[in-house]
Amino acid sequence: MKSLSIKDIAKTARVSNSTVSRALRNSPLVNRETGDLIRRIAEDAGYRPSAAARSLVTRRTHTIGVVVTTISDPFVADVVSGIEDAAEAQGFSVFLANSHAEPAREKRVVRSFEERRVDGIIVTSSRVGSLHVSMLSRMEVPIVLLNNQHDNEAAHSVMIDNRGGSFAATQHLASHGHRRIGYIGDRGGYQSDAERLSGYQAALEAAGIEFDPALVVRGDGRPEGAREALGQLLSLADAPTGVFCYNDMSALGAMHEAGKRGLRIPEDLSLVGFDDLYISQYLNPPLTTVRQPMTGMGRMATETLLRLIAREPAPPVVTVHGELIVRESVCAPRTARARSARARSAG
Amino acid sequence: MKSLSIKDIAKTARVSNSTVSRALRNSPLVNRETGDLIRRIAEDAGYRPSAAARSLVTRRTHTIGVVVTTISDPFVADVVSGIEDAAEAQGFSVFLANSHAEPAREKRVVRSFEERRVDGIIVTSSRVGSLHVSMLSRMEVPIVLLNNQHDNEAAHSVMIDNRGGSFAATQHLASHGHRRIGYIGDRGGYQSDAERLSGYQAALEAAGIEFDPALVVRGDGRPEGAREALGQLLSLADAPTGVFCYNDMSALGAMHEAGKRGLRIPEDLSLVGFDDLYISQYLNPPLTTVRQPMTGMGRMATETLLRLIAREPAPPVVTVHGELIVRESVCAPRTARARSARARSAG
DNA sequence: AAGATTTTTGGCAACGTTTGCATTAAACTG
DNA sequence: CAGTTTAATGCAAACGTTGCCAAAAATCTT
């Protein structure tokens, strides 16, 4: 039951291998009728050219490797979805590999990609440590980084405008009258954390609020870490009335913790996230957050990668801007509300 | 800057290709010292054997194809994570493809997998329509279905015990005193929906509750559909006090809709889901649900697939049992609580 | 020390494509 | 109609491995 080769088709069509090869790729070099005949025969026989054999001679695999820390992260999953869509649309297949941020695993992944001769690589939100350096030096395939966590001049990248997004988020809080605004970051030491913090500080400054280091605490980018972080914030003598979270997962954790402590969102505590995960709109209350166009970013990354593969020019870094999505997790702080209520009754 | 081949290594090691080939795969046929030398040279040179060339002759690609409807679904993402982990552990790489449930796309995916000569295929929660039949007939590679939505004797599969899980979920509701229990299903016409419905009915019967068709409504397996479905349930004259949802995403939608209508969970409405997504534990209130070991199932699917590829025997269908995870979205219905309160004050 | 073994190596034909070059057949040219 | 161009085909050499078979080298046997 061996799968048939080009020779089999050639034989039944009574032509040479080359003609079949050409016919199947619709080469103009082959006579219309012969071509049609050959294609019909191939189709009927269910012939499928061997990608391996083909790429052996063309030196192109039409394959891209995608490294993610973990596909279980909804942010990553969406990005990968966009990557796959864009790749598929251009006839490329994607190898997906979890690195789980384990150096050993990263090594194996890179080696595997090398052996498979992927035409290009996309690395998603990696701390890009050991992995990246070794990769760049050995492989000569194009690489694009998506929301990478380290500056890297050597590779192309697409990234979210962290600073702008967090500025908008913090400003939103300030514009509702919050003066004590906390920031729950990610202790991973990521560049995105630093940038979001900086946007937060900038917004504070713009609103004339003095920056208080006690108001910035770190979680781990996931609900659990954020719960603890929020705890720290809440134990402050002068606790914040609004908190900007590094990402929606952190906001989810904060929301959960607040609920546990009997605090209502947003009446007792306003919350803003970052990402706009699919679920965020269904939270109670729906989360106000900064939207990252995740699948779009995946698509962009793929497009610049494909461009690079085709040796076409591509922008070294494309920055995409987040959009503040206002929902219901922010309102004026209690004090301000009390004040305006007083004003109202007085008036 | 062409990547080097086995010949280059052979030349600098002053041995033949075959020896290099053997040495690199640690064949006992090659002298210890020569082997070490060769390996050192290859290592230093950063040589990477070409998977394409290798698989051309061995007729094995050490590659598996994974088809999912969409990787954006957190359930699917977790499954894929398990698949990739298990595959990687055995030196297999995975091609990931979204089908988006579009027949045309499914066709292209299958064709791509054929051309790439994947050693096996895993199909996740597919309605497995057009795709599957054509696939099975043409490709002679092993296939395993994960939570497939159609009976299929031809392929191996791993599936969750839908009936058992929903029985437990419904029973849980009944045991809290609920008599009017709704079911929000998935109108997609999936087998899993039918099975969960059947488990729900069985639990009703076991609890001596008469089945009321008006209490089963259908969503779309996502929050949006569930919101509408819950609306129908709530508009009933004798509305349910507890609802079992087809999956956690539906439960999320129901929770959201309930919140919008000012209903508190679980005081005014008890809710049970199915899946135990990562986020479910962080909802407000934390969702009581039936846990599916998603990454574990992905792992199992991969293991049976790999076994099949190795022509080892493998169980045609492995059924995994869900576990009821009790959290805080269920309590006794208002009526029962009122009754017990009365009893207490009377006693 | 000459066979007889056993290790270790090398040669070479696959595997299934693509592609440059040569060849043949067909269609123009003047 | 011979000579030329053009269109269509075939040949054969890659591409980078593996694995069978033979050859060579080393190690035993008496």
Side-chain angles (χ1 to χ4, degrees):
Chain A
M1 204 51 50
K2 62 184 287 295
S3 75
L4 31 137
S5 85
I6 215 173
K7 283 187 196 127
D8 303 301
I9 308 300
K11 193 173 299 169
T12 87
R14 299 170 164 288
V15 293
S16 71
N17 294 356
S18 343
T19 307
V20 174
S21 172
R22 285 188 272 250
L24 293 179
R25 281 167 309 134
N26 296 308
S27 160
L29 290 186
V30 34
N31 177 287
R32 192 93 164 96
E33 294 178 34
T34 344
D36 288 343
L37 175 66
I38 293 175
R39 278 183 290 270
R40 245 211 45 228
I41 294 183
E43 172 72 340
D44 291 353
Y47 166 74
R48 292 288 179 267
S50 155
R54 187 209 301 278
S55 63
L56 195 52
V57 19
T58 63
R59 306 170 120 354
R60 275 298 169 77
T61 56
H62 280 258
T63 273
I64 70 179
V66 176
V67 201
V68 302
T69 55
T70 170
I71 188 72
S72 292
D73 181 328
F75 175 86
V76 172
D78 267 8
V79 166
V80 170
S81 181
I83 291 176
E84 205 273 330
D85 286 351
E88 205 270 346
Q90 302 209 35
F92 277 67
S93 296
V94 349
F95 278 117
L96 176 72
N98 286 134
S99 75
H100 288 297
E102 299 162 11
R105 182 103 181 240
E106 291 183 343
K107 289 256 173 55
R108 294 205 304 276
V109 167
V110 172
R111 167 179 285 260
S112 151
F113 284 174
E114 288 176 327
E115 298 193 348
R116 302 206 179 273
R117 304 284 193 269
V118 297
D119 290 337
I121 294 184
I122 295 179
V123 183
T124 300
S125 7
S126 157
R127 286 158 320 165
V128 137
S130 56
L131 193 160
H132 190 210
V133 196
S134 69
M135 229 158 55
L136 268 196
S137 52
R138 11 183 62 283
M139 305 189 66
E140 66 268 8
V141 302
I143 299 184
V144 1
L145 273 18
L146 197 150
N147 276 5
N148 56 307
Q149 302 295 358
H150 263 336
D151 264 327
N152 194 301
E153 349 46 54
H156 287 237
S157 63
V158 2
M159 12 197 342
I160 187 75
D161 171 18
N162 286 306
R163 208 157 177 286
S166 62
F167 185 96
T170 310
Q171 189 178 46
H172 181 69
L173 251 7
S175 76
H176 274 73
H178 292 271
R179 308 294 295 175
R180 296 288 291 170
I181 301 177
Y183 172 59
I184 296 183
D186 184 328
R187 73 173 75 95
Y190 301 141
Q191 179 168 312
S192 53
D193 176 73
E195 291 176 357
R196 289 178 199 177
L197 174 61
S198 132
Y200 156 86
Q201 289 180 292
L204 251 34
E205 185 170 340
I209 302 174
E210 196 183 353
F211 171 67
D212 179 355
L215 290 181
V216 355
V217 294
R218 312 272 172 181
D220 55 4
R222 287 178 302 154
E224 217 44 62
R227 292 181 53 187
E228 194 196 316
L230 181 65
Q232 292 177 40
L233 248 23
L234 259 25
S235 71
L236 254 33
D238 193 5
T241 57
V243 175
F244 166 53
C245 301
Y246 172 76
N247 61 11
D248 282 4
M249 275 294 172
S250 295
L252 177 62
M255 209 179 250
H256 182 77
E257 181 65 21
K260 267 213 143 87
R261 292 168 179 249
L263 260 35
R264 288 162 310 159
I265 311 282
E267 294 82 357
D268 302 321
L269 182 71
S270 287
L271 240 32
V272 181
F274 202 110
D275 280 354
D276 193 25
L277 299 181
Y278 178 69
I279 59 151
S280 300
Q281 60 190 307
Y282 296 109
L283 264 20
N284 260 328
L287 184 67
T288 289
T289 187
V290 177
R291 171 176 299 167
Q292 288 201 64
M294 302 170 276
T295 67
M297 288 169 74
R299 213 172 263 121
M300 287 177 211
T302 304
E303 272 153 19
T304 89
L305 184 65
L306 260 28
R307 202 158 279 143
L308 255 23
I309 290 174
R311 292 179 176 339
E312 290 166 11
V317 23
V318 5
T319 302
V320 355
H321 298 278
E323 180 192 359
L324 181 72
I325 305 290
V326 176
R327 289 201 273 249
E328 303 163 30
S329 62
V330 172
C331 71
R334 190 182 294 296
T335 52
R337 270 179 293 146
R339 205 178 306 126
S340 62
R342 240 178 290 126
R344 222 177 298 123
S345 60
Chain B
M1 204 51 51
K2 61 185 287 294
S3 77
L4 23 119
S5 84
I6 216 173
K7 284 187 195 127
D8 303 300
I9 309 300
K11 193 173 300 171
T12 87
R14 302 173 160 285
V15 293
S16 70
N17 294 356
S18 340
T19 306
V20 175
S21 172
R22 285 187 277 251
L24 293 179
R25 280 166 309 135
N26 295 309
S27 159
L29 290 187
V30 38
N31 178 287
R32 191 93 163 95
E33 293 179 35
T34 345
D36 288 344
L37 174 66
I38 292 175
R39 279 183 291 271
R40 245 211 44 227
I41 293 183
E43 173 72 338
D44 291 354
Y47 166 73
R48 292 289 180 265
S50 156
R54 189 209 300 278
S55 63
L56 195 52
V57 20
T58 62
R59 307 170 122 348
R60 275 298 169 79
T61 57
H62 280 259
T63 273
I64 70 178
V66 176
V67 201
V68 302
T69 56
T70 169
I71 188 71
S72 293
D73 180 330
F75 175 87
V76 171
D78 266 8
V79 166
V80 169
S81 181
I83 291 176
E84 205 275 329
D85 286 352
E88 205 271 346
Q90 303 209 34
F92 276 69
S93 296
V94 351
F95 277 116
L96 176 72
N98 287 134
S99 74
H100 289 297
E102 299 162 10
R105 182 103 181 241
E106 291 183 342
K107 289 256 171 56
R108 295 206 302 276
V109 167
V110 173
R111 167 179 286 259
S112 151
F113 284 173
E114 288 177 326
E115 298 193 348
R116 301 207 180 273
R117 304 284 192 270
V118 298
D119 290 337
I121 295 184
I122 295 180
V123 183
T124 300
S125 10
S126 158
R127 285 157 320 162
V128 139
S130 56
L131 193 161
H132 191 210
V133 195
S134 69
M135 228 159 55
L136 268 196
S137 52
R138 14 182 59 282
M139 306 189 66
E140 66 268 8
V141 301
I143 299 184
V144 3
L145 272 19
L146 198 149
N147 276 6
N148 55 308
Q149 303 294 358
H150 263 336
D151 266 327
N152 193 302
E153 349 48 53
H156 287 237
S157 64
V158 3
M159 13 194 344
I160 186 75
D161 171 18
N162 285 306
R163 209 157 176 285
S166 61
F167 185 96
T170 310
Q171 189 179 46
H172 181 69
L173 251 7
S175 78
H176 275 72
H178 293 271
R179 308 293 295 175
R180 294 289 291 169
I181 301 177
Y183 172 60
I184 296 183
D186 184 326
R187 73 173 73 97
Y190 302 140
Q191 179 167 312
S192 53
D193 176 72
E195 291 176 357
R196 289 178 199 177
L197 174 61
S198 132
Y200 156 86
Q201 289 180 293
L204 250 35
E205 184 170 341
I209 302 174
E210 196 183 353
F211 171 67
D212 178 356
L215 289 181
V216 354
V217 293
R218 313 271 174 183
D220 56 3
R222 287 179 303 153
E224 217 43 62
R227 292 181 54 188
E228 193 197 316
L230 181 65
Q232 293 176 39
L233 248 23
L234 260 25
S235 71
L236 255 33
D238 193 5
T241 57
V243 174
F244 165 53
C245 301
Y246 171 77
N247 61 11
D248 282 5
M249 275 295 171
S250 295
L252 177 62
M255 209 178 249
H256 182 76
E257 180 65 21
K260 268 215 142 90
R261 292 168 179 250
L263 261 34
R264 286 162 311 157
I265 312 284
E267 295 81 357
D268 302 321
L269 181 71
S270 287
L271 239 33
V272 182
F274 202 111
D275 279 354
D276 193 23
L277 299 181
Y278 177 69
I279 59 152
S280 300
Q281 61 191 304
Y282 295 110
L283 263 20
N284 260 328
L287 184 68
T288 289
T289 187
V290 177
R291 171 177 299 167
Q292 288 201 64
M294 302 170 274
T295 67
M297 289 169 72
R299 215 173 260 121
M300 287 176 210
T302 303
E303 272 153 18
T304 89
L305 184 65
L306 259 28
R307 202 158 278 142
L308 255 24
I309 290 174
R311 292 179 174 341
E312 290 166 12
V317 22
V318 5
T319 301
V320 355
H321 297 278
E323 180 192 359
L324 181 73
I325 304 291
V326 177
R327 289 203 271 247
E328 304 163 28
S329 62
V330 172
C331 71
R334 190 184 293 295
T335 54
R337 270 180 294 144
R339 205 180 305 126
S340 65
R342 241 179 289 127
R344 221 177 299 123
S345 61

